Amino acid sequence: MQSSGPAGGVVPAAFLDRDGVLIEDVGYPHREDQLRFLPGAADAVRRLNGLGYMCVIVTNQSGVARGMFSLAQMEAFNALIVRRLAARGGIIGAVYACPYHAEAVDERWRHPDHPDRKPNPGMILRAIAEHRIDQTRSFLIGDQPSDLEAARRGGIPGFRFDGGDLDAFVRDLFGT
């Protein structure tokens, strides 16, 4: 068993934004025909798994709050992503999605500044607590300033991915 770090966790995590990092951001994707992985996505997840990282998706999903799709559709789409990555050897350990937004059309999802909505660190902090993640060895890869700010507020390094091959990006992070 791995030794526990100062944060009490036993496994480091690679927190990954969804749209724009793992999959193409086609504007509120939620249907199977909209699922297009970015180059190297499955390879990057598989590489991170091989390096001992639990991969955790953290994603703002205001499409639910905006009435564009239901919570069930969002959950089904996230499950599809997890299954397709697993079929390619990349294991996602957990998915955290925030459906809240300040301008929600559905009152259930309206919140002026939900703790889970990036740039707030709620999804990261919940994952750390719920999965015994070693915060001191974890990091986030995102494509937006709000992703990097959530990482900073969550006490982990954040790396900006501007597109291209995600596996090459991860390889460069680790110098391998």
Side-chain angles (χ1 to χ4, degrees):
M1 181 174 224
Q2 293 178 326
S3 63
S4 182
V10 294
V11 62
F15 292 94
L16 305 169
D17 181 46
R18 194 188 85 173
D19 305 355
V21 173
L22 288 172
I23 67 170
E24 285 183 31
D25 188 349
V26 297
Y28 303 99
H30 62 281
R31 297 187 321 266
E32 185 173 1
D33 66 302
Q34 296 172 315
L35 177 53
R36 293 190 284 277
F37 286 102
L38 286 175
D43 294 332
V45 172
R46 190 170 54 248
R47 178 182 302 277
L48 289 163
N49 294 154
L51 291 168
Y53 286 88
M54 175 182 181
C55 290
V56 178
I57 295 174
V58 287
T59 179
N60 285 345
Q61 290 299 313
S62 68
V64 173
R66 297 171 193 272
M68 302 172 85
F69 48 89
S70 69
L71 184 66
Q73 285 174 302
M74 177 200 73
E75 290 171 344
F77 189 72
N78 287 338
L80 178 64
I81 291 169
V82 170
R83 283 194 313 274
R84 294 249 175 108
L85 286 170
R88 297 177 182 181
I91 304 303
I92 299 294
V95 177
Y96 289 82
C98 181
Y100 296 93
H101 193 272
E103 299 171 11
V105 296
D106 184 333
E107 186 70 33
R108 292 177 298 169
W109 308 116
R110 187 173 302 138
H111 192 286
D113 188 28
H114 196 278
D116 282 354
R117 184 165 177 77
K118 295 180 285 184
N120 294 325
M123 292 185 284
I124 295 168
L125 297 176
R126 280 195 305 121
I128 289 169
E130 292 173 3
H131 297 281
R132 299 187 62 215
I133 290 170
D134 183 346
Q135 187 172 5
T136 66
R137 296 187 294 146
S138 298
F139 64 91
L140 176 142
I141 298 174
D143 66 326
Q144 299 296 321
S146 60
D147 297 321
L148 303 184
E149 180 60 16
R152 186 191 69 75
R153 292 181 189 180
I156 61 174
F159 300 97
R160 181 141 184 190
F161 177 66
D162 288 320
D165 185 310
L166 185 60
D167 190 45
F169 181 85
V170 168
R171 222 176 25 246
D172 289 348
L173 279 180
F174 287 94
T176 60

